[in-house]
Amino acid sequence: MRLMELLKDVDYKLIQGNLDLEIKDIAYDSRKISDKMAFVALKGFRVDGHDYIEQAILNGCKCIIVEDVVEVSSDITVIQLEDTRTDLSKISRTLFGYPDKEMTTIAITGTKGKTTTSSMIQKILNDHGRDCGLIGTMGVFYKDYFYHTMNTSPEAYDVFKYMREMIKHGVTYLVMEVSSQSLKLKRWSNVIFDYAIFTNLSLDHVGEDEHESFSDYKYCKGLLFKQCKTGIFNLDSEYCQDMLEGVNCNIYTFGYQSKEADYRFIECHNVMENGFVGIEMGVAGKLSGKLKVSIPGFFTAFNALAAISVCDLLGISFEDMARSLLDVKVKGRMESVKVSNQFSLLIDYAYQGVAMENVLATIRESHPKRIVSVFGCGGNRSRQRRFDCGEVSGKYADLSILTADNPSYEDNNEIIEDILVGMNKTEGKYIVIPDRKEAIRYSIEHAKEGDVILILGKGHEDYQEIKGVRYPFDERVIIQEILEEMDDQDKQRLGIIL
């Protein structure tokens, strides 16, 4: 399209050049620029796109879209915006022909439960004739397609591009995890979601490169419900009223303790029988009945209820939802990996105190002989998170193996020292093995009959980030390598299954 058409939804200033340029695409990465593309200079936490304008021009760019005043040759068209990141959403939406208007959109926000809830919704809809795509922590999924993503909520350009691709393949529903950071950066300020779900809120994502305070974190979460047609809220959350403040959408609620909630679960217990591991729960309110969900834990009932709420509003029957949830699986969320006939091993994404406590307490309810937790903490994140993780593991686990997670730009040994601050508040036993593969190896080679080994923190991730570089590290692959490297005598002793 012509540049003037691309910019029709934003306030802009033409600094120099021609608005009648043909623009075939836009990019915010100078390395992806080619002829007839516009480069949008975004300001990030560590990188400023304005520093890469020269590279974009060398790659053939004839149009740059900026916030700051820049000096370039007179043959380059320069467009100035007040906020390129916010306006990138508007420009991208125009470029891809307003794809959100052609889909039923479901947005999910909250500290915990976004990935599991979105996966449940996608499965229910797909199982019953509603082709649904998913964009979230684990990537982009629709039909038989999968794309890796760097963030829970990708940049607006990428999301609108994925939407358009989904529509081309007949996908008309989209469930999307929406992070507080993307809301803070106003990536979706021009989109009205059909449905938005609030799962819960806890002290998290406060610190360097995240939110300056919990109040800011809470405020940003609440922005989603100012831009949706129907909001679905966890009434049991102590912060639910904060999310409800100032909204003018249709309101539905779910919960357990809150008897006035539209959708409620009235009982929930873990079930382990005939190869099934999960929960059985009763549902009351606008729906009534019992169902099983193949993911253990009390918190699973909240995630399932959130999924049930929106799917009921979309016209899916309770019986169809129950059939889908009976065999739902979510990678890295209480994911069982069959290793031995003598002990159990699960992988979970829990990376902060509340989530870790939920997982460990759930396993404790099954009365294993020992719980062994293997975990580290991410770099460039809140130190309080590390204190909490150490204290929680020390409280619930019989043995904690402290190791690396994604140390990012920090020294992993210093991260472990922070974890020990919390650990030392308890009498929990621990050992330190900084190399994550070796820590996992130790947990397996020293397992006892009846143990439950929990490998925590990375879940679905297939990489380990060190000094800004992501190295391949899929824990399922790592576990298989460890088993293959063991000698036959140890395999027999530990009842290893290959």
Side-chain angles (χ1 to χ4, degrees):
M1 60 179 62
R2 315 310 290 182
L3 177 59
M4 66 179 67
E5 183 182 358
L6 183 69
L7 298 171
K8 66 182 180 180
D9 291 333
V10 299
D11 294 324
Y12 65 90
K13 182 178 181 181
L14 175 64
I15 303 300
Q16 66 180 49
N18 180 14
L19 286 173
D20 197 34
L21 286 177
E22 180 186 352
I23 302 295
K24 69 177 183 180
D25 203 353
I26 60 177
Y28 55 88
D29 184 334
S30 63
R31 295 167 295 185
K32 297 180 180 180
I33 285 291
S34 60
D35 186 43
K36 295 184 179 180
M37 290 179 66
F39 175 64
V40 184
L42 301 182
K43 291 186 176 183
F45 289 115
R46 295 192 182 92
V47 178
D48 187 343
H50 293 77
D51 296 335
Y52 297 88
I53 288 173
E54 183 178 346
Q55 183 61 53
I57 293 172
L58 289 173
N59 288 344
C61 180
K62 295 297 182 182
C63 174
I64 58 173
I65 300 174
V66 299
E67 283 182 36
D68 298 344
V69 175
V70 297
E71 291 186 9
V72 295
S73 60
S74 59
D75 62 327
I76 304 298
T77 295
V78 180
I79 302 295
Q80 188 174 33
L81 305 175
E82 183 176 342
D83 184 339
T84 52
R85 189 177 294 275
T86 299
D87 286 341
L88 176 64
S89 177
K90 299 175 183 178
I91 296 170
S92 301
R93 191 174 184 230
T94 303
L95 178 69
F96 292 108
Y98 307 92
D100 53 298
K101 291 184 176 182
E102 301 174 46
M103 308 184 84
T104 298
T105 52
I106 305 161
I108 305 176
T109 200
T111 304
K112 304 181 298 298
K114 295 188 296 297
T115 299
T116 299
T117 302
S118 61
S119 297
M120 289 176 172
I121 293 169
Q122 185 189 36
K123 185 176 190 302
I124 291 169
L125 293 177
N126 281 341
D127 284 353
H128 302 291
R130 315 281 186 95
D131 284 339
C132 181
L134 187 155
I135 300 176
T137 304
M138 294 193 291
V140 178
F141 302 83
Y142 64 95
K143 297 286 191 177
D144 295 324
Y145 295 87
F146 166 71
Y147 300 98
H148 276 287
T149 55
M150 293 293 289
N151 302 305
T152 295
S153 300
E155 288 290 352
Y157 169 87
D158 301 295
V159 170
F160 287 117
K161 182 178 181 179
Y162 290 132
M163 283 184 180
R164 180 50 63 194
E165 289 182 8
M166 290 179 189
I167 292 167
K168 288 178 181 177
H169 289 85
V171 176
T172 54
Y173 288 79
L174 172 65
V175 58
M176 179 175 164
E177 298 179 49
V178 178
S179 68
S180 57
Q181 286 286 5
S182 69
L183 291 164
K184 181 175 183 175
L185 295 170
K186 299 180 181 179
R187 289 180 190 164
W188 318 116
S189 58
N190 61 322
V191 175
I192 301 299
F193 293 97
D194 293 299
Y195 299 89
I197 299 172
F198 168 63
T199 60
N200 50 63
L201 202 64
S202 60
L203 184 60
D204 198 15
H205 298 293
V206 177
E208 184 181 357
D209 291 351
E210 295 189 279
H211 293 275
E212 60 189 25
S213 66
F214 182 69
S215 294
D216 180 60
Y217 177 52
K218 182 172 60 176
Y219 169 78
C220 291
K221 287 289 189 189
L223 291 174
L224 178 62
F225 303 98
K226 308 296 194 299
Q227 54 187 95
C228 68
K229 297 176 184 177
T230 297
I232 302 170
F233 300 85
N234 176 5
L235 206 53
D236 278 15
S237 169
E238 63 180 300
Y239 301 106
C240 185
Q241 293 306 315
D242 294 284
M243 298 299 108
L244 286 164
E245 186 176 347
V247 305
N248 56 9
C249 60
N250 298 318
I251 296 172
Y252 292 88
T253 57
F254 66 94
Y256 171 61
Q257 295 176 327
S258 303
K259 305 304 181 186
E260 66 272 26
D262 296 305
Y263 300 89
R264 306 191 306 276
F265 67 93
I266 52 177
E267 57 185 45
C268 174
H269 59 272
N270 287 319
V271 177
M272 294 186 182
E273 58 185 18
N274 301 322
F276 177 84
V277 179
I279 62 166
E280 184 174 43
M281 58 185 283
V283 178
K286 288 184 175 295
L287 294 172
S288 179
K290 287 189 176 183
L291 54 80
K292 290 182 178 180
V293 186
S294 58
I295 302 172
F298 187 72
F299 49 87
T300 294
F302 282 96
N303 297 332
L305 200 58
I308 288 168
S309 301
V310 71
C311 289
D312 178 55
L313 295 174
L314 289 169
I316 306 295
S317 72
F318 182 81
E319 293 73 21
D320 285 343
M321 288 188 276
R323 280 193 289 271
S324 292
L325 293 174
L326 182 62
D327 62 355
V328 67
K329 298 291 182 185
V330 184
K331 185 178 181 181
R333 269 59 178 182
M334 296 291 273
E335 178 187 357
S336 178
V337 180
K338 192 63 176 175
V339 171
S340 167
N341 289 320
Q342 298 178 17
F343 60 90
S344 301
L345 187 151
L346 292 91
I347 296 174
D348 193 87
Y349 189 52
Y351 62 88
Q352 46 95 341
V354 174
M356 186 180 286
E357 185 167 21
N358 284 337
V359 170
L360 290 168
T362 294
I363 299 304
R364 180 60 68 194
E365 289 173 6
S366 302
H367 305 291
K369 289 189 177 177
R370 283 197 319 168
I371 295 177
V372 178
S373 69
V374 182
F375 74 99
C377 287
N380 303 101
R381 293 293 185 266
S382 166
R383 294 183 68 200
Q384 184 61 48
R385 183 186 297 174
R386 303 166 191 175
F387 306 154
D388 293 344
C389 287
E391 187 170 358
V392 167
S393 188
K395 177 181 177 182
Y396 285 96
D398 297 283
L399 174 65
S400 300
I401 303 176
L402 311 186
T403 187
D405 191 292
N406 293 322
S408 193
Y409 291 92
E410 287 194 68
D411 184 327
N412 187 56
N413 292 321
E414 293 180 2
I415 294 173
I416 291 175
E417 286 298 319
D418 283 343
I419 296 172
L420 286 172
V421 171
M423 181 69 65
N424 289 332
K425 292 180 180 179
T426 75
E427 296 181 358
K429 296 180 180 179
Y430 70 88
I431 59 172
V432 175
I433 304 177
D435 184 290
R436 193 171 179 96
K437 179 176 180 178
E438 293 309 310
I440 295 171
R441 187 194 306 277
Y442 183 94
S443 72
I444 294 172
E445 291 183 345
H446 291 79
K448 299 178 181 179
E449 188 171 354
D451 278 0
V452 175
I453 299 171
L454 289 168
I455 302 177
L456 303 172
K458 293 181 63 58
H460 62 279
E461 294 177 353
D462 58 3
Y463 64 87
Q464 190 169 41
E465 185 175 345
I466 303 171
K467 302 297 183 184
V469 179
R470 291 189 171 187
Y471 299 92
F473 197 96
D474 187 319
E475 290 176 336
R476 296 142 205 83
V477 175
I478 295 296
I479 290 167
Q480 191 61 31
E481 289 177 357
I482 291 169
L483 299 183
E484 292 173 354
E485 291 164 4
M486 293 174 65
D487 61 41
D488 291 339
Q489 187 175 356
D490 281 340
K491 292 176 185 175
Q492 185 176 1
R493 173 177 62 85
L494 293 166
I496 297 299
I497 301 170
L498 287 175

